[in-house]
Amino acid sequence: MEPERFKIKTIIILAMFSLFLLAGEMQAGRPQARPGLPYYNVDREITIEGQIEDIRFEQRYEKRASFLILQVKDKNSGEIYEVETAPAWFFQVDFHQGEKIRLVGSLAEVNGGQKKLIMAREMRLQNQTITLRDRRGFPAWSGGQGRQRKRGG
């Protein structure tokens, strides 16, 4: 009878350890707030229409691939927003200064509110809609170049 109890205890311990590992993996799949860095917040989503004022590439997020960063002037308020899009390799369309754009994204204020940043989820330009993130904010480029869910453009 004693070996039977040992087997049951061993199975319970292994099951608990497996659940612990699974919980860790599930947590790793969620977007985490990184200290000092903005994160996609669906409760702060906004839509703006405007014009591309500036285009640049910038390495973000621990020196990974260069992101396409746009400066967009809102046609209604005249405010300039910095728009973080996606890694440059994700796009199959060219962007041009002066081009009209409509975008949906999460508004974040950085540098103590001195700069307004929009983390884009969807962009409409050149009669195309480019989806960068799903409705929960998960990036369409996750998994790396060549393994993303759907290319932009």
Side-chain angles (χ1 to χ4, degrees):
M1 194 71 160
E2 202 59 37
E4 189 69 27
R5 280 189 179 169
F6 179 75
K7 284 181 186 178
I8 291 172
K9 285 181 181 180
T10 303
I11 290 171
I12 290 172
I13 289 171
L14 288 174
M16 290 175 66
F17 183 70
S18 297
L19 286 173
F20 176 75
L21 289 177
L22 180 62
E25 286 180 25
M26 289 175 67
Q27 187 70 16
R30 291 188 196 147
Q32 300 294 310
R34 297 160 302 236
L37 294 174
Y39 65 96
Y40 199 93
N41 182 347
V42 294
D43 295 328
R44 299 228 26 192
E45 258 191 7
I46 64 169
T47 300
I48 68 165
E49 290 186 45
Q51 178 175 306
I52 298 173
E53 297 287 310
D54 189 36
I55 302 166
R56 71 179 188 277
F57 298 95
E58 194 174 291
Q59 283 194 332
R60 295 193 172 190
Y61 307 108
E62 300 167 7
K63 306 228 183 227
R64 293 196 175 141
S66 292
F67 269 63
L68 174 67
I69 307 297
L70 305 174
Q71 295 288 325
V72 175
K73 184 176 185 178
D74 182 16
K75 76 174 187 178
N76 294 322
S77 69
E79 278 194 79
I80 304 283
Y81 293 92
E82 180 174 282
V83 180
E84 179 180 292
T85 62
W89 57 258
F90 183 76
F91 295 99
Q92 296 177 346
V93 62
D94 291 327
F95 296 82
H96 305 281
Q97 196 169 0
E99 192 166 36
K100 304 261 186 256
I101 187 170
R102 178 182 183 276
L103 58 96
V104 177
S106 175
L107 179 64
E109 293 180 357
V110 292
N111 295 339
Q114 293 178 353
K115 181 168 62 169
K116 293 190 177 190
L117 170 72
I118 296 175
M119 299 177 78
R121 176 172 64 81
E122 185 178 278
M123 301 187 312
R124 175 113 181 119
L125 71 157
Q126 303 170 8
N127 294 319
Q128 292 184 50
T129 299
I130 302 169
T131 301
L132 304 171
R133 298 171 177 271
D134 67 17
R135 292 198 177 275
R136 295 173 297 158
F138 288 99
W141 64 88
S142 65
Q145 188 170 1
R147 295 190 328 229
Q148 71 280 359
R149 291 178 244 169
K150 189 173 168 186
R151 277 188 94 94

